[in-house]
Amino acid sequence: MDFQVVVLAGGASKNLTPLVSEEIPKALLPVANRPVLSYVLELLESSNLKDLIVVVEGSDAALRVGGWISGAYVDRLHVEVAAVPEDIGTAGALRAVAHHLTASDILVVSGDLVTDVPPGVVAATHRRHGAVVTALLCDTPISGISETGSKDKAKKLGRYNIVGLDPTRQFLLLIASGAEVEKDTRVQKSILGAVGQMEIRADLMDAHMYALKRSVLQEVLDQKDSFHSIRQDVLPYLVRSQLRSEVAKIEEGWNTTITSKTNLIWLSQHREIAPSAFHNGHELDANGSLSAQSTHKCCAYIAGKNKYCARLNSIQAFIDINRDVVGEASHLSGYSFSAQNNVVHPSAELGSKTTVGPQCMLAEGSKLGDKCSVKRSVIGRHCRIGSNVKIVNSVVMNHVTIEDGCLVQGSIICSNVHLQERCVLKDCQVAALWKVPQSWRLKFKLSYLLSGFV
Amino acid sequence: MGPKKVARSASSDDPEELARVPLQAVLLADSFATKFRPITLERPKVLLPLVNVPMIEYTLAWLESVGVEEVFVFCCAHSNQVKDYLNKSQWTKPPSSFSFSVSTIESHDAISAGDALRVIYNRSVIRGDFILVSGDTVSNMDLTQALEEHKDRRKKDPLAVMTMVIKHAKPSSTTLQTRLGTDEIIMGIHPETKELLYYEDKADHLQRVILLDKTLLMENPALRLHNDKQDCFIDICSPEVLSLFTDNFDYQHLRRHFVKGLLVDDIMGYKIFTYETHASYAARVENFRSYDTISKDIIQRWTYPFVPDVQYLGIGYQAKLERQGIYRAPDVILSRSAHVGAFSFVGNGTTIGDHSHISTSVIGQRCVIGKNVVIESSYIWDNVTIEDGCKLSHALVCDGVHLRAGVILESGVILSFKVEVGQKLVIPAYSKVSVLPQPCKQDSDEELEYADATSGVIESPSITSVANARNQDLLSDMLDVPGSDANKVGISGVGYIWSVSEAEHDEEWRFSIAPIPKEKLEKFSHSAHDDNDEVNHDESSIPASGELIPDSDGTDFDGGVGEDYRDSADFENEVEATFRRALAGVDVQNVILEISSLRLSYNMSHADCAGALFYAIMKSASDISYSNNTELSANTKMEINKWKNLLKNYIKSQDEEIEVIMKFEEICLETIREFRPLFTDVSMWLAQTSIASG
């Protein structure tokens, strides 16, 4: 398949402080004790997309990501790691690697995507319609349900995008993202006029996997310097301008406008009935060359309800994904689960009367003392956990020491943290290397722990 | 509250009816619009013949066919004519009305559909769900399913007060008009429940985007937006609708006020649903274009069984369908050399002379058409005399019109009742001619059809005498002269050519019987294209999709940050520009004034001013040429000294001092790196000049 893949792995994302740091950029955050990036890479590998460019923000982070990839995928994937400055934005990142892009179509994937939708399907949809851009849309993940969480409430939480689709649900006619979602939605009448009816959905999420036509992508990136993000600038721009593509400026005057107009009418008549017919005729109109093109197509591939699709872009998402990957979406983790529906590494040591419940993971070399209880949590490598410790709905990374009598609930404990005796942490995130003194009780929803707290 | 009262009063009248409420319908025999003027000045719209049968007949026949048992005809303008007509018609005669009764409700001061419904409410005649239609509806749809759906919904959700019938109809993408000549309607419909969530008619074409309120999508995860649906103006309503109109006494228009009011204001959570009909016919005669389209549809039998050759609709005779869709009444005298083309209708008692040529036209009863007359795509009503050699295309000619020899009607001409046109006149396209003078009062917003004897519109003295007096003028200038309301229709002609205002004239072609001329289409597509370009421009200038929002890794970001940042950058630039004017010799006092006003307009603090000003000073200092750091330091000190009075205006407390030092730090780090080595030096100097206390 003549697709080049760009994986945007991000850097030290601000949204994920304090989980990310110089040592652990976003791409290497553990999801079920594997770096999150590995999920995307293995997914791509399974679709036989092996020619990858991984773009990382910040050169230190790039070195680390590169080091990890070359260690893990040395003979499996052909990966180039490119470092770009921080805060360059996704569009900027693509600009920076644009000269490496040679294939006719580019697949852009966010490095924080955890999904089982094969990228090949998106690529195939893209090719079938000859689209300029094809975006993967998935159901909005239901976040933050714990054992008692009511589903109705959780459903209202997630509104990521507002998406307009044609009646066949193949064409993307409107997309609003970010802050715009909360504003009034603006629908272009010309696009509505062309299709007749448009389905507007607020329950779909843009999963950040795009197939893009390289020539168009490069033109847009060149022409629009202000474009910062693919999701917020490039994609909405392409969708907005699909009936009057500015991607290729027509400067032949009246005659061409007539043809473009007839093209539009033609499109309006045919799009509804036979989207694929519209594709063929469109090619005729365009004479096969992009410069004569006056409309372009933006397509969407909607992942089925049974597919898992989530992005690790917030702390809540981090907890959710970790829970799901060892829980309901366990096929993603690549581990084989025991009869108790959990994964306990053979080298892990459990004290007497210690229970590890279902949907848990205990990585190699970790030791648990007596009378511990672990429920729906992921515990990393070489952790030392004392006696009478309760860990519920939490993620504990590597080399963490938890002393006796601690309670950890709904929290994220980063690597090398030391929790002294009888700490109680609820809904906390503890950054790497911290030492939490004896008997601390933290019940607040702290987004991060700052200096001054040792 | 309202409906209960109605129910009670009804039950006291008629206790056995409690078990089964007869299906009722309200027929509005007044369109409350002026689209059919000047014809409607003399005859109500519902009585205008559509393929030789008054429109109201189609509506009543359809209502009977869907099982309506009681019809209330609301008449307002020309109510006497409507009542007279109904009294004479088959509908009110005992034999035909075994389970179908027609009664009239009359009001003279109703000026809108809202008023009409309020009057009906006060009469307390509606006992259950009813069908609301206007008297110009042509349909053959079966309402059973829609009624059932409505009733089922009502059982589950008493707030579902109305079901609107819609039909697929795609507007042309160039004119944005359906084939009925109505403007495109944009509807937002819930994909599963079919609830109507958004309704926009009279769409403003210049506005190229539809704004959907954010709450709309918050409450509904999905919404289907249509512009390919036509509103049939057939509504199944619950009695609450009437009380809603009474409660909201400012509601006038059914759609613009009532539907929008329910959708936008969310009154008591009442909901409107839609029912889409697929195969059957439903349309409303709204303007001359839909008159033309529906006439053709009837002739082409889309409205079966309501077609001319089926014995129906009190026409009095049965037309015979011949080949090529030609309907001919039994008693037509057709010259051997005359030719009647396809899809035409020739009414009873009409005579057509030699070598006349008629195509796709409807000709009424007792017309006399002379020799060598060409009639194409026109509608000729009853008792019309057309003398030899006339040419008519896409014209509408009402009862009793007399066209003398050689008259040419260009496309889109409307001749109202009893107009007479003098010899060899050419009536220009889209003219409207009436024997009545144009009412000088132009109803601006709510177009009323109100030409009953109660109104003062037709108070001119003897019409013919006026017309004849004018006829003594010359006949040369036939074109509309804005401002003069009467123009001649030739020697021995009777009638006025109505002048149309500039704005209306532009719109005239949109609703006319005549097809839209080619050049208009071209112009339209051209302008539509321009529109697109414009939109493109302003869209790219407005960050419609948050183009200015920095977004490092694709996670949600608040737009406020970007805006704020831009504001402060603007502010700094402005202050710098002002400072440069001071350098160029503007009085210091004026500069202070300007900066103060900038501070207010950008909503900045004194500290911001001090910082920005300091930045400007440092920049000017760095602009002076220097060879080494000592020289730069000296320049800087000199500049600071020079402007310290200005700067001190804004340094009132320690906060501002800190701001200046911070600003200096920022300058050294980011903008003018040359100052780096001088940081301590200049800071000391700032302390000395008591700008900063150190």
Side-chain angles (χ1 to χ4, degrees):
Chain A
M1 217 188 293
D2 185 23
F3 261 95
Q4 230 173 341
V5 182
V6 178
V7 179
L8 301 174
S13 160
K14 288 185 190 79
N15 285 38
L16 288 166
T17 353
L19 307 185
V20 294
S21 59
E22 294 280 294
E23 286 77 36
I24 306 182
K26 182 174 161 180
L28 298 184
L29 275 181
V31 170
N33 292 324
R34 275 166 55 187
V36 63
L37 188 60
S38 69
Y39 290 87
V40 167
L41 296 184
E42 270 162 36
L43 190 70
L44 291 168
E45 193 188 12
S46 70
S47 281
N48 211 18
L49 293 161
K50 295 187 174 173
D51 187 17
L52 317 179
I53 300 174
V54 175
V55 186
V56 185
E57 283 184 359
S59 48
D60 290 350
L63 273 179
R64 287 179 196 279
V65 174
W68 169 75
I69 291 177
S70 54
Y73 294 96
V74 62
D75 49 352
R76 292 159 66 186
L77 297 170
H78 176 244
V79 180
E80 268 177 71
V81 178
V84 295
E86 286 182 37
D87 289 336
I88 194 172
T90 45
L94 276 184
R95 248 182 230 122
V97 297
H99 57 279
H100 288 297
L101 303 177
T102 49
S104 68
D105 293 287
I106 311 293
L107 190 72
V108 180
V109 189
S110 174
D112 57 6
L113 184 66
V114 178
T115 184
D116 50 2
V117 180
V121 189
V122 178
T125 311
H126 183 69
R127 280 287 165 80
R128 189 165 67 240
H129 294 301
V132 155
V133 60
T134 304
L136 170 66
L137 302 176
C138 59
D139 287 322
T140 304
I142 298 162
S143 68
I145 16 161
S146 50
E147 58 266 66
T148 53
S150 68
K151 285 215 170 189
D152 292 342
K153 219 174 187 181
K155 262 185 183 167
K156 291 231 161 150
L157 283 171
R159 279 163 51 81
Y160 296 89
N161 291 99
I162 288 175
V163 177
L165 298 166
D166 79 314
T168 59
R169 297 190 185 169
Q170 293 176 23
F171 293 96
L172 193 59
L173 306 172
L174 167 84
I175 185 147
S177 53
E180 255 190 283
V181 175
E182 301 305 322
K183 292 186 200 147
D184 293 353
T185 309
R186 296 153 59 97
V187 181
Q188 277 168 283
K189 279 189 190 157
S190 53
I191 290 184
L192 177 63
V195 285
Q197 56 171 286
M198 183 192 286
E199 191 171 301
I200 295 176
R201 304 266 299 258
D203 56 350
L204 290 175
M205 183 183 83
D206 174 5
H208 261 219
M209 186 191 284
Y210 311 109
L212 289 146
K213 205 175 209 118
R214 179 184 54 91
S215 48
V216 173
L217 174 68
Q218 282 181 338
E219 232 168 315
V220 171
L221 290 178
D222 286 350
Q223 280 173 8
K224 308 278 174 179
D225 296 329
S226 58
F227 281 5
H228 190 79
S229 143
I230 299 176
R231 183 180 62 111
Q232 291 194 318
D233 303 325
V234 178
L235 182 63
Y237 170 76
L238 287 174
V239 170
R240 215 164 51 228
S241 61
Q242 56 183 314
L243 287 187
R244 44 188 163 77
S245 172
E246 258 204 5
V247 173
K249 279 255 198 248
I250 308 158
E251 275 159 7
E252 284 167 55
W254 175 232
N255 277 343
T256 16
T257 43
I258 286 274
T259 49
S260 79
K261 201 69 203 175
T262 50
N263 190 12
L264 189 148
I265 296 163
W266 195 89
L267 189 156
S268 68
Q269 288 162 347
H270 286 79
R271 209 176 207 190
E272 206 177 349
I273 308 159
S276 49
F278 146 67
H279 160 59
N280 296 331
H282 168 74
E283 287 289 302
L284 285 177
D285 266 11
N287 295 326
S289 76
L290 183 75
S291 59
Q293 197 170 336
S294 55
T295 61
H296 59 241
K297 283 185 288 179
C298 300
C299 294
Y301 177 79
I302 301 172
K305 293 258 180 221
N306 52 352
K307 295 284 184 188
Y308 185 79
C309 201
R311 289 190 56 218
L312 202 167
N313 53 6
S314 67
I315 288 175
Q316 185 59 51
F318 181 79
I319 296 184
D320 289 340
I321 292 173
N322 266 297
R323 186 193 58 225
D324 292 341
V325 165
V326 294
E328 55 189 77
S330 57
H331 58 285
L332 277 169
S333 66
Y335 296 98
S336 54
F337 283 74
S338 70
Q340 287 81 37
N341 199 16
N342 58 19
V343 183
V344 178
H345 197 269
S347 63
E349 291 172 28
L350 303 180
S352 67
K353 290 191 180 166
T354 287
T355 54
V356 177
Q359 305 188 3
C360 281
M361 178 171 278
L362 199 56
E364 63 204 70
S366 284
K367 277 184 192 158
L368 271 78
D370 299 338
K371 292 183 188 165
C372 290
S373 158
V374 180
K375 281 178 189 164
R376 281 192 248 193
S377 297
V378 177
I379 295 173
R381 297 180 184 87
H382 305 288
C383 291
R384 306 256 166 267
I385 294 170
S387 303
N388 273 322
V389 174
K390 245 184 139 177
I391 300 174
V392 183
N393 281 331
S394 298
V395 179
V396 177
M397 295 190 198
N398 302 333
H399 303 284
V400 174
T401 310
I402 300 177
E403 292 186 9
D404 296 352
C406 286
L407 170 65
V408 178
Q409 195 181 331
S411 300
I412 302 168
I413 315 290
C414 290
S415 300
N416 297 311
V417 167
H418 189 146
L419 300 185
Q420 291 187 333
E421 286 175 22
R422 294 184 302 282
C423 285
V424 177
L425 300 181
K426 277 184 183 166
D427 301 325
C428 290
Q429 294 90 45
V430 185
L433 295 167
W434 290 112
K435 189 169 179 183
V436 180
Q438 266 186 29
S439 307
W440 265 79
R441 289 175 168 270
L442 294 168
K443 293 194 180 180
F444 313 105
K445 192 133 193 164
L446 294 183
S447 56
Y448 42 77
L449 300 173
L450 276 178
S451 55
F453 171 66
V454 182
Chain B
M1 181 192 97
K4 263 184 220 153
K5 205 173 95 194
V6 174
R8 206 181 309 130
S9 67
S11 61
S12 62
D13 284 353
D14 213 357
E16 71 266 33
E17 283 291 343
L18 265 181
R20 199 190 65 90
V21 180
L23 185 57
Q24 294 174 308
V26 169
L27 188 152
L28 300 178
D30 195 332
S31 60
F32 304 106
T34 56
K35 284 272 165 58
F36 272 84
R37 280 189 175 185
I39 303 171
T40 47
L41 285 181
E42 291 163 74
R43 195 187 279 187
K45 185 174 154 194
V46 290
L47 295 186
L48 302 185
L50 187 69
V51 193
N52 286 341
V53 174
M55 291 180 201
I56 197 170
E57 289 287 340
Y58 291 92
T59 317
L60 288 172
W62 170 67
L63 286 176
E64 191 203 13
S65 75
V66 298
V68 171
E69 289 160 66
E70 236 181 313
V71 180
F72 298 98
V73 178
F74 180 86
C75 32
C76 174
H78 307 288
S79 54
N80 291 332
Q81 287 190 41
V82 178
K83 272 158 72 183
D84 286 352
Y85 177 83
L86 287 175
N87 286 335
K88 281 182 208 149
S89 75
Q90 52 160 331
W91 305 113
T92 45
K93 281 173 198 146
S96 72
S97 57
F98 43 94
S99 69
F100 186 71
S101 74
V102 177
S103 48
T104 53
I105 294 175
E106 198 179 342
S107 161
H108 289 286
D109 48 3
I111 54 164
S112 67
D115 288 340
L117 293 179
R118 280 184 277 274
V119 169
I120 292 168
Y121 175 74
N122 289 333
R123 300 278 172 101
S124 311
V125 286
I126 299 296
R127 279 161 285 177
D129 291 347
F130 65 98
I131 300 166
L132 178 63
V133 288
S134 66
D136 45 15
T137 307
V138 177
S139 175
N140 60 0
M141 73 176 283
D142 183 8
L143 266 186
T144 335
Q145 205 194 335
L147 280 167
E148 243 163 53
E149 275 181 24
H150 180 78
K151 290 215 168 93
D152 288 352
R153 244 192 319 260
R154 288 272 296 163
K155 269 177 211 150
K156 283 179 212 139
D157 183 0
L159 293 176
V161 288
M162 186 159 131
T163 303
M164 268 168 60
V165 176
I166 57 171
K167 189 171 161 32
H168 184 91
K170 194 153 163 49
S172 145
S173 58
T174 32
T175 59
L176 302 174
Q177 245 189 355
T178 57
R179 59 191 285 274
L180 290 175
T182 49
D183 285 323
E184 65 171 344
I185 294 174
I186 292 159
M187 284 191 253
I189 296 170
H190 193 286
E192 268 109 52
T193 62
K194 306 285 177 216
E195 185 185 343
L196 186 73
L197 301 169
Y198 180 84
Y199 188 94
E200 184 186 326
D201 69 340
K202 297 268 167 191
D204 183 1
H205 296 301
L206 298 175
Q207 174 125 25
R208 303 292 304 163
V209 286
I210 304 156
L211 266 187
L212 294 181
D213 197 71
K214 52 179 182 268
T215 51
L216 212 59
L217 282 163
M218 289 198 186
E219 285 157 16
N220 306 286
L223 153 74
R224 205 167 277 165
L225 211 56
H226 293 271
N227 85 333
D228 57 351
K229 297 284 180 262
Q230 163 204 326
D231 189 346
C232 301
F233 294 95
I234 297 170
D235 304 324
I236 301 167
C237 305
S238 305
E240 281 91 336
V241 171
L242 292 179
S243 52
L244 270 172
F245 266 99
T246 313
D247 294 346
N248 299 278
F249 50 84
D250 55 335
Y251 282 179
Q252 306 288 351
H253 194 273
L254 262 180
R255 294 292 184 257
R256 245 170 287 161
H257 299 129
F258 176 72
V259 171
K260 277 209 154 171
L262 284 200
L263 295 181
V264 176
D265 305 340
D266 207 14
I267 296 167
M268 319 268 291
Y270 283 124
K271 292 173 196 156
I272 298 172
F273 289 83
T274 57
Y275 173 81
E276 189 176 352
T277 171
H278 292 280
S280 46
Y281 193 87
R284 188 182 158 207
V285 183
E286 266 186 284
N287 50 39
F288 286 116
R289 166 142 306 137
S290 45
Y291 180 87
D292 176 55
T293 315
I294 294 172
S295 297
K296 284 184 174 138
D297 289 340
I298 292 170
I299 288 182
Q300 291 171 10
R301 307 176 78 78
W302 291 101
T303 56
Y304 190 86
F306 307 117
V307 289
D309 62 325
V310 177
Q311 175 68 43
Y312 78 120
L313 313 172
I315 189 173
Y317 58 88
Q318 190 169 8
K320 216 168 78 193
L321 176 62
E322 297 174 0
R323 274 189 305 176
Q324 294 186 309
I326 301 166
Y327 296 86
R328 206 197 299 188
D331 195 13
V332 171
I333 301 160
L334 187 63
S335 156
R336 197 173 279 270
S337 54
H339 178 254
V340 177
F343 299 118
S344 295
F345 185 111
V346 183
N348 218 8
T350 290
T351 320
I352 298 173
D354 296 342
H355 303 291
S356 285
H357 198 102
I358 291 162
S359 57
T360 52
S361 299
V362 175
I363 293 166
Q365 303 179 53
R366 296 176 299 280
C367 292
V368 179
I369 293 169
K371 294 171 188 160
N372 296 316
V373 174
V374 177
I375 299 174
E376 55 178 38
S377 300
S378 297
Y379 299 90
I380 317 268
W381 295 356
D382 299 344
N383 300 321
V384 173
T385 310
I386 298 175
E387 291 184 9
D388 301 351
C390 288
K391 281 195 171 65
L392 291 82
S393 67
H394 302 286
L396 177 68
V397 178
C398 296
D399 290 3
V401 169
H402 191 140
L403 300 184
R404 290 187 213 287
V407 168
I408 294 174
L409 303 186
E410 291 185 355
S411 58
V413 168
I414 311 291
L415 299 184
S416 187
F417 299 98
K418 299 199 175 73
V419 164
E420 288 178 32
V421 182
Q423 277 185 7
K424 294 198 175 153
L425 261 180
V426 179
I427 308 274
Y430 308 121
S431 309
K432 293 177 178 174
V433 186
S434 169
V435 292
L436 300 179
Q438 189 165 20
C440 38
K441 188 190 80 188
Q442 285 286 334
D443 312 304
S444 50
D445 43 2
E446 269 320 306
E447 311 97 346
L448 326 169
E449 185 168 297
Y450 208 4
D452 212 350
T454 50
S455 80
V457 175
I458 330 172
E459 274 176 15
S460 55
S462 162
I463 297 147
T464 26
S465 73
V466 172
N468 287 337
R470 304 257 175 146
N471 283 340
Q472 282 153 22
D473 300 346
L474 282 171
L475 52 106
S476 57
D477 190 4
M478 275 304 308
L479 292 168
D480 294 355
V481 182
S484 82
D485 63 339
N487 290 283
K488 298 162 313 301
V489 279
I491 292 167
S492 71
V494 176
Y496 299 89
I497 293 187
W498 283 27
S499 64
V500 257
S501 65
E502 283 298 311
E504 266 181 64
H505 194 76
D506 263 1
E507 289 294 294
E508 206 61 56
W509 56 270
R510 294 182 65 96
F511 305 118
S512 158
I513 285 182
I516 299 172
K518 204 175 169 191
E519 58 267 28
K520 287 278 186 203
L521 277 180
E522 269 168 20
K523 214 166 118 193
F524 207 94
S525 61
H526 197 49
S527 71
H529 201 80
D530 289 349
D531 278 358
N532 279 346
D533 288 350
E534 249 162 58
V535 171
N536 213 11
H537 279 289
D538 68 42
E539 264 185 30
S540 41
S541 62
I542 301 166
S545 57
E547 274 149 29
L548 290 170
I549 300 167
D551 181 30
S552 52
D553 57 351
T555 43
D556 288 9
F557 234 86
D558 195 349
V561 182
E563 259 164 46
D564 222 36
Y565 170 74
R566 199 177 39 180
D567 266 11
S568 70
D570 274 1
F571 176 70
E572 276 185 10
N573 289 340
E574 291 274 354
V575 170
E576 200 189 322
T578 315
F579 180 72
R580 283 190 186 276
R581 280 199 285 280
L583 281 180
V586 172
D587 190 38
V588 177
Q589 286 307 312
N590 288 345
V591 173
I592 293 170
L593 209 65
E594 269 192 54
I595 293 177
S596 301
S597 65
L598 281 175
R599 179 178 78 83
L600 292 174
S601 69
Y602 280 87
N603 198 13
M604 295 290 178
S605 67
H606 277 288
D608 291 319
C609 286
L613 197 58
F614 182 72
Y615 174 68
I617 294 171
M618 295 308 279
K619 214 169 168 191
S620 77
S622 71
D623 284 349
I624 303 169
S625 62
Y626 56 90
S627 50
N628 55 30
N629 282 344
T630 7
E631 220 168 287
L632 178 63
S633 160
N635 284 342
T636 316
K637 284 173 188 173
M638 198 180 72
E639 283 290 312
I640 293 173
N641 226 8
K642 200 162 139 195
W643 298 112
K644 70 177 180 198
N645 285 335
L646 177 63
L647 200 54
K648 272 181 184 164
N649 267 302
Y650 297 99
I651 299 179
K652 301 235 159 75
S653 70
Q654 214 172 353
D655 285 352
E656 283 90 34
E657 289 172 14
I658 292 168
E659 173 67 25
V660 168
I661 301 287
M662 298 279 273
K663 192 79 196 174
F664 187 41
E665 199 182 327
E666 194 190 312
I667 291 169
C668 290
L669 282 174
E670 284 167 16
T671 41
I672 315 169
R673 289 172 189 246
E674 292 84 352
F675 284 116
R676 249 184 207 182
L678 305 177
F679 183 72
T680 40
D681 202 16
V682 174
S683 305
M684 292 294 281
W685 180 256
L686 286 174
Q688 275 169 34
T689 51
S690 67
I691 285 172
S693 48

